Amino acid sequence: MYLEMIAKEYIFGFNYGARFRLLLTESLKLTLIGTSPEGHIRVQQDLPCDLIEEILCRVPATSLRHLRSTCKQWNLLFNNRRFTRKHFDKSPKQLMTLMLNESMVCSTRVNLNGVPEVTSELSLVDPLYSSLIDHEFDIYEVFHCDGLLLCINEDNTRLVVWNPCTSQARWIQPKTRVSSHALGSYHGNSYKVLSYHPDFAIFENNSNSWRSLDITPDCTIEDSEQFMSLKGKTYWFACDKKDERPISIFLLSFDYTSETFERLRLPCQSFLYETMSMSVVREEKLSVLLQRDYTSRTEIWVTNKIGETKEVSWSMFLALDYSPAGLHLRDTVSFLVEEEKKVIVCCDRYLEDEFHGKKLIHIVGEQNQVREFDFGEAKQCPILFNYVPSLTQIHQGVGVGGKRKRDTINGQYAGRWSKLFYRV
């Protein structure tokens, strides 16, 4: 009965809190028997451990994080990489919309029938300036993979891998100031940071150092800062060139498990596009936005579910003509796909003159139905992306003397996840 009540609370969107924790602990037949000297709650559980694990695997990540203090056994379970991967695969996906907005990652509510709004800000404390009033880490670029964010500052001198849901963070020294960086998963429950341009290297978590890769793709990456990571691979737009001129454009992928490159054909072939952008759909599919040169026709294509079959196929999602609406998309545009409602949400910075620009969000449907929303002045290019909270663990590496660094779960410098979760 209690599990049924929990399911109803989740489906109808009631807030999780003390009542949810009480229902869950009662449903799992936990009996409080005291506290340990360290202050941990000690419980007696009547259900088998494997059954409890199966139940917890189906509870959203944002709810489990509130249950860490229930008992020591659960806290250990939530830190177990095997469980966190199992949970990522089986738990309900709480798809959220985040936006990089003037050096802060913000939660954004995109109401397809109303006005989009920023609902809250994610706080990532910078350990170098934690004693100051303004101690937030200024984020210039952000990329996401399996519930983790890779954040980079403006002068490319500092990287941080951050899980906002668990408040874990790891700060990494970039290989060089001219390098670009990406984040990807491998073996299901681990991650790697990739450095590229001009050379390729992988950050070794245990040794806190960069390992050079003896590989070079036989093509040119079109935009080193435009990529997406999905199912253990990172994808870029790339091209073959002849006499310094592009002769074909395709997707180049890097596999983090085999550390090899592969090519993926785009749905329509061209040697030149006016606008190219990429997005991930519900952590399952890739989507590309393509506008051919010298035309206002823009096409949005979506793949089948990546990893379910050996072959990747494309299907047309929308075909738009932006000229009647007076819109002009650039390569900096980020976009989201809403498959069920046949709508895309675009976000970009539009320059008004050499020094001033503004953030605009466009909700675009079939028959070129466009709604435009002004989000104010833009000093840097905004990035709109979907994010699924997870319990994915962040390696902390080995510190001085061979001792493993302390995890920053709920640590002083990991950041705050303040009133972020909501239902779309």
Side-chain angles (χ1 to χ4, degrees):
M1 180 181 69
Y2 286 116
L3 288 179
E4 182 181 354
M5 293 174 66
I6 292 169
K8 288 181 179 178
E9 288 209 357
Y10 175 70
I11 292 171
F12 291 107
F14 298 139
N15 291 327
Y16 290 107
R19 174 170 169 75
F20 172 82
R21 177 174 166 177
L22 177 63
L23 289 173
L24 185 59
T25 53
E26 288 185 357
S27 70
L28 298 182
K29 302 183 184 300
L30 298 181
T31 305
L32 178 66
I33 60 176
T35 58
S36 68
E38 296 82 12
H40 294 292
I41 297 174
R42 298 173 60 198
V43 299
Q44 174 180 314
Q45 53 190 41
D46 298 331
L47 294 180
C49 292
D50 56 348
L51 179 57
I52 289 179
E53 182 176 317
E54 284 299 319
I55 295 172
L56 293 175
C57 272
R58 289 160 174 80
V59 178
T62 53
S63 303
L64 286 189
R65 65 184 294 269
H66 296 298
L67 299 174
R68 283 188 178 276
S69 60
T70 299
C71 62
K72 187 175 182 179
Q73 294 94 320
W74 284 16
N75 187 53
L76 291 174
L77 179 65
F78 298 162
N79 289 335
N80 182 285
R81 286 209 179 101
R82 177 192 58 80
F83 173 80
T84 57
R85 187 63 215 184
K86 184 177 180 181
H87 179 270
F88 186 82
D89 292 336
K90 292 188 174 184
S91 64
K93 296 295 186 288
Q94 291 179 298
L95 199 65
M96 302 170 56
T97 301
L98 302 183
M99 180 171 65
L100 178 61
N101 182 30
E102 303 304 323
S103 76
M104 293 284 291
V105 176
C106 302
S107 170
T108 306
R109 189 193 303 273
V110 180
N111 186 338
L112 299 181
N113 298 314
V115 179
E117 60 177 331
V118 172
T119 57
S120 60
E121 296 178 341
L122 282 69
S123 174
L124 178 61
V125 177
D126 190 332
L128 295 183
Y129 305 101
S130 59
S131 60
L132 303 179
I133 296 178
D134 185 13
H135 52 234
E136 306 295 332
F137 181 63
D138 289 334
I139 302 171
Y140 187 72
E141 294 179 287
V142 62
F143 309 101
H144 63 100
C145 172
D146 288 1
L148 301 181
L149 301 182
L150 176 64
C151 305
I152 306 171
N153 65 348
E154 184 172 5
D155 56 4
N156 203 30
T157 57
R158 301 177 68 203
L159 310 175
V160 58
V161 180
W162 178 29
N163 185 334
C165 185
T166 64
S167 294
Q168 281 187 315
R170 181 170 185 185
W171 301 84
I172 298 173
Q173 183 70 32
K175 188 172 185 293
T176 69
R177 289 190 61 175
V178 298
S179 298
S180 297
H181 300 88
L183 178 70
S185 61
Y186 72 103
H187 290 161
N189 60 352
S190 299
Y191 71 90
K192 293 179 181 179
V193 177
L194 175 69
S195 173
Y196 57 98
H197 181 69
D199 301 319
F200 285 80
I202 290 289
F203 183 77
E204 292 288 356
N205 291 291
N206 291 329
S207 63
N208 296 331
S209 61
W210 292 94
R211 169 173 57 87
S212 296
L213 299 178
D214 188 22
I215 55 173
T216 303
D218 58 348
C219 57
T220 301
I221 294 177
E222 281 285 277
D223 185 347
S224 61
E225 296 179 358
Q226 182 171 150
F227 63 86
M228 286 291 158
S229 292
L230 176 65
K231 304 285 187 179
K233 295 182 179 181
T234 289
Y235 297 83
W236 301 267
F237 288 108
C239 67
D240 289 323
K241 289 186 176 181
K242 183 177 181 181
D243 298 328
E244 299 301 316
R245 300 182 64 181
I247 57 175
S248 64
I249 298 178
F250 48 89
L251 291 183
L252 175 72
S253 70
F254 176 80
D255 188 308
Y256 285 87
T257 300
S258 63
E259 296 185 353
T260 56
F261 292 103
E262 295 178 356
R263 294 187 178 203
L264 175 63
R265 288 174 59 91
L266 287 172
C268 48
Q269 299 301 305
S270 176
F271 68 91
L272 190 62
Y273 290 98
E274 177 71 17
T275 302
M276 299 185 298
S277 188
M278 204 181 325
S279 183
V280 170
V281 182
R282 303 194 67 82
E283 300 296 310
E284 297 175 333
K285 307 174 183 179
L286 279 176
S287 178
V288 293
L289 182 152
L290 303 172
Q291 180 184 356
R292 301 194 191 198
D293 202 22
Y294 305 115
T295 176
S296 60
R297 178 181 170 88
T298 302
E299 299 174 347
I300 295 88
W301 295 78
V302 177
T303 67
N304 56 340
K305 291 184 179 181
I306 299 294
E308 286 197 349
T309 61
K310 291 184 178 180
E311 296 295 327
V312 176
S313 60
W314 296 91
S315 59
M316 174 80 78
F317 178 71
L318 280 178
L320 311 168
D321 186 355
Y322 279 89
S323 56
L327 300 178
H328 177 69
L329 297 179
R330 304 186 304 157
D331 282 339
T332 55
V333 66
S334 55
F335 72 100
L336 304 178
V337 170
E338 175 54 60
E339 287 187 288
E340 292 183 359
K341 298 183 179 180
K342 276 284 185 178
V343 167
I344 64 168
V345 182
C346 299
C347 181
D348 202 357
R349 179 189 185 207
Y350 292 82
L351 296 177
E352 298 175 311
D353 55 44
E354 185 179 354
F355 303 103
H356 300 88
K358 60 181 178 179
K359 293 184 290 288
L360 292 181
I361 287 183
H362 294 100
I363 299 179
V364 187
E366 296 181 284
Q367 287 83 47
N368 286 335
Q369 297 173 339
V370 178
R371 290 192 296 138
E372 179 180 293
F373 302 93
D374 189 338
F375 261 55
E377 184 180 0
K379 297 179 181 179
Q380 67 184 70
C381 188
I383 300 174
L384 194 68
F385 59 98
N386 279 332
Y387 171 78
V388 177
S390 79
L391 302 177
T392 302
Q393 298 294 299
I394 294 180
H395 306 273
Q396 295 303 318
V398 177
V400 179
K403 295 182 179 180
R404 184 164 295 278
K405 293 182 179 180
R406 180 177 63 86
D407 284 354
T408 53
I409 292 181
N410 298 325
Q412 180 180 3
Y413 304 134
R416 297 186 300 276
W417 190 246
S418 57
K419 299 180 181 178
L420 177 61
F421 295 102
Y422 60 89
R423 304 207 175 275
V424 179

